[in-house]
Amino acid sequence: MLIVLSGPSGVGKGTVRQAMLADDFRDFQYSVSMTTRKPRPGEQDGVDYYFRTKEQFEAEIAAGQMLEYAKYVDNYYGTPLKYVNKTLDSGRDVLLEIEVNGAMQVREKCPDGVFIFLTPPDLMELKHRLIGRGTDSEDVINKRVKQAAQEIKMMENYDYAVVNDEVPKACKRIERIIESEHLRVPRVIDKYRNMVN
């Protein structure tokens, strides 16, 4: 099953994803995204993102090797297609942590995915989180908050909305969604048809 975790910049997608992956109970594979932005302190290539130049990223686009991609605040972000297909074919769930525009591209290509929109409690809290990062200028923060307001309007294109008020609570909510989705009849019916036959 393809699980798409998305939401505005600064909402805590990366923090929630890391907390979910730290719990061995959750059996899914995280698909590392590719970006042209510079690494933040502590981020590692191939772990947090595949960090590439603009030219390298555009070559991947031209070769049709991206499941989705978007340009956000002057940087590209995207999901390498090969890794996602290989993991799904092996029978494991794949978790994508991506921006809103990228999620809409995935929605078109993989309509049976599970699309979860992570929301901030409110926009002021989002701004405080962005300031707390200490990685962006005031101008960039203001652009991100303005962009976030537009992205929240796109929530109607998702299956679920989860408020990230506290990371452990948000993880638990997402875990319940994934468990429920695994029990949906369209996902299990073939197994039972084979059993009956």
Side-chain angles (χ1 to χ4, degrees), residues 46-65:
V47 176
D48 298 286
Y49 283 96
Y50 294 111
F51 294 99
R52 299 293 184 263
T53 65
K54 180 182 175 187
E55 293 74 24
Q56 290 170 322
F57 198 107
E58 289 176 344
E60 292 289 324
I61 294 170
Q65 293 300 308

Side-chain angles (χ1 to χ4, degrees), residues 101-120:
N101 290 331
M104 294 304 94
Q105 292 175 47
V106 176
R107 182 65 136 178
E108 287 180 20
K109 296 174 185 173
C110 307
D112 60 340
V114 179
F115 291 79
I116 303 169
F117 191 89
L118 196 64
T119 71

Side-chain angles (χ1 to χ4, degrees), residues 35-132:
T35 185
T36 58
R37 79 158 169 77
K38 299 294 182 200
R40 294 187 181 122
E43 288 183 329
Q44 295 178 317
D45 185 54
V47 176
D48 298 286
Y49 283 96
Y50 294 111
F51 294 99
R52 299 293 184 263
T53 65
K54 180 182 175 187
E55 293 74 24
Q56 290 170 322
F57 198 107
E58 289 176 344
E60 292 289 324
I61 294 170
Q65 293 300 308
M66 302 302 289
L67 173 61
E68 57 80 26
Y69 66 93
K71 200 165 190 181
Y72 184 80
V73 191
D74 301 324
N75 285 302
Y76 281 114
Y77 294 83
T79 303
L81 180 61
K82 189 176 179 182
Y83 179 81
V84 171
N85 286 338
K86 182 179 174 184
T87 307
L88 288 172
D89 289 345
S90 76
R92 293 196 71 197
D93 291 343
V94 175
L95 175 69
L96 300 183
E97 173 210 325
I98 57 179
E99 302 299 328
V100 174
N101 290 331
M104 294 304 94
Q105 292 175 47
V106 176
R107 182 65 136 178
E108 287 180 20
K109 296 174 185 173
C110 307
D112 60 340
V114 179
F115 291 79
I116 303 169
F117 191 89
L118 196 64
T119 71
D122 58 55
L123 287 177
M124 281 308 296
E125 174 63 22
L126 179 68
K127 186 168 185 174
H128 290 306
R129 290 178 188 180
L130 290 168
I131 292 168

Side-chain angles (χ1 to χ4, degrees), residues 132-183:
R133 277 183 181 173
T135 58
D136 295 321
S137 68
E138 185 178 344
D139 184 50
V140 170
I141 288 170
N142 288 334
K143 281 183 185 177
R144 287 184 184 269
V145 171
K146 186 176 179 182
Q147 181 72 29
Q150 294 303 312
E151 290 172 340
I152 289 170
K153 293 176 185 176
M154 296 174 69
M155 186 190 304
E156 66 187 21
N157 299 304
Y158 289 76
D159 302 311
Y160 300 94
V162 172
V163 176
N164 186 18
D165 46 359
E166 295 176 33
V167 171
K169 288 182 180 178
C171 290
K172 198 60 155 168
R173 292 171 188 137
I174 294 168
E175 181 180 299
R176 288 195 300 260
I177 290 167
I178 293 169
E179 288 173 355
S180 296
E181 282 290 330
H182 272 288
L183 301 175

